[in-house]
Amino acid sequence: MPGFEFFGAEERKEVNEVLESGILMRYGFDAQRNGHWKAKELELALCEKLNAPYAQLTSSGTSALTTAMAALGLGAGDEIIMPTFTFVASFESVLSVGAIPVLVDIDDTLTLSPAAVEAAITPKTKAVMPVHMCGSMADLDALKTICDKHNLILLEDACQSFGGTYKGKALGTIGDAGTFSFDFVKTITCGEGGGIVTNSKDVYTKCDAYQDHGHDHLGIDRGADLHPYLGYNYRISELHAAVGLAQLRKLDTFLEIQRKTKKIFKDALSAIPEVSFRRLPDESGDTATFLGFFLPDEDTTRKAAANLKAAGIVNFYYYDNNWHYIRNWQHFKQSQSLSRFGSELQAAMKVYETKEFPVSDALISRCICTPINLGWSEPEIVERTEKMVAAVRAAI
Ligand SMILES: *Cc1c(COP(=O)(O)O)cnc(C)c1O
């Protein structure tokens, strides 16, 4: 998963070009920047790599989600359906535009259950936001059918699955918009950064303005730009974009290594009859940043997670995790916001004080995800595989 493992001369070269000019901002200063436009160059490279007509960089995955929501017209009173298993940033961005997060169960893909989505639709529903968790994808055909049928926006949170595909199309490019994170621990990193892709020129134009205080970017003099809409500052810097440029060129290598290693782990664990694997709607498009598997019950899973940890195998037992699963999101459930919500949102959030998610609990409490690193040597992979199998067997 982490591109930072392969940070080297290529990243330093790109960053140095920015440092030499001293122009750290992505806009303006045309005469001083020695022809370097790293953010623009990375956006074009993203378009080409993902076969997307439009790409907009931002300062983070969270600001990419917020910008996409604003550009898609999501705001006060709009319900956005999202999963119980994600990173907190998904609901943070919903709340930041004043919309209402409607959390629903996941299924054995560890992403949105299409049946749960359909059951949650109300006249206020405006968008469905699947989260392509842990490197793999949601059941996009089923979700797109639901969105088309009910005239809903499909916004893909692909922050954890950059480079993944579904039926030959890049994740993020299938819905009305898709977002990526290039934070320090994601598939490729900018240090901090994010991106939005869309097939809609209108959505792109709005993203472009929103992430830069509303600038229309039509003139050559920033001070004379017009401001058709209100915006914020969610810009990426040239330094961060420079890192991303070098990282993007390494993406295919990262994916190849991850897929190879994951297959070795998965084949070995397949020999244990009590182990079942996360369902992948399109296995060939999996980025293989994680291997996710289920054990028969919570006790066995807890034991296996502890055994793995003791054996030095990093793994996530998300049921106990404070950041990725609703069970421990007390701040969300109790609306512990530093500033007051609008009255409609405040009322809608009440439901989370008591709402239970037994279907999601039954999956996440039996699930272990183990990350796939890039830097492991072949002997290390063999050793890890043996330790992993032994640790899981010992728990059964
Ligand atoms: C990392 C992540 C984000 C947010 O990205 P940042 O760049 O860290 O702000 C959003 N959604 C998911 C699912 C993520 O994993």
Side-chain angles (χ1 to χ4, degrees), residues 72-184:
L72 290 163
L74 299 168
D78 295 337
E79 292 182 353
I80 302 180
I81 298 177
M82 54 164 282
T84 52
F85 177 52
T86 177
F87 180 55
V88 291
S90 311
F91 68 69
E92 287 169 353
S93 21
V94 175
L95 296 173
S96 78
V97 298
I100 300 168
V102 175
L103 274 65
V104 307
D105 280 315
I106 53 163
D107 61 20
D108 59 349
T109 64
L110 299 182
T111 68
L112 270 184
S113 151
V117 169
E118 193 133 40
I121 293 171
T122 75
K124 287 187 184 176
T125 309
K126 286 282 160 56
V128 177
M129 180 168 68
V131 182
H132 303 308
M133 277 300 274
C134 304
S136 182
M137 75 295 290
D139 194 343
L140 283 166
D141 275 349
L143 294 171
K144 192 151 182 16
T145 303
I146 293 169
C147 288
D148 289 346
K149 181 172 149 197
H150 297 273
N151 199 20
L152 303 174
I153 290 164
L154 181 61
L155 170 59
E156 296 174 70
D157 179 344
C159 285
Q160 288 199 11
S161 296
F162 181 73
T165 57
Y166 177 75
K167 300 191 176 172
K169 286 188 183 162
L171 296 180
T173 66
I174 293 151
D176 296 281
T179 62
F180 305 111
S181 165
F182 305 122
D183 78 21
F184 196 56

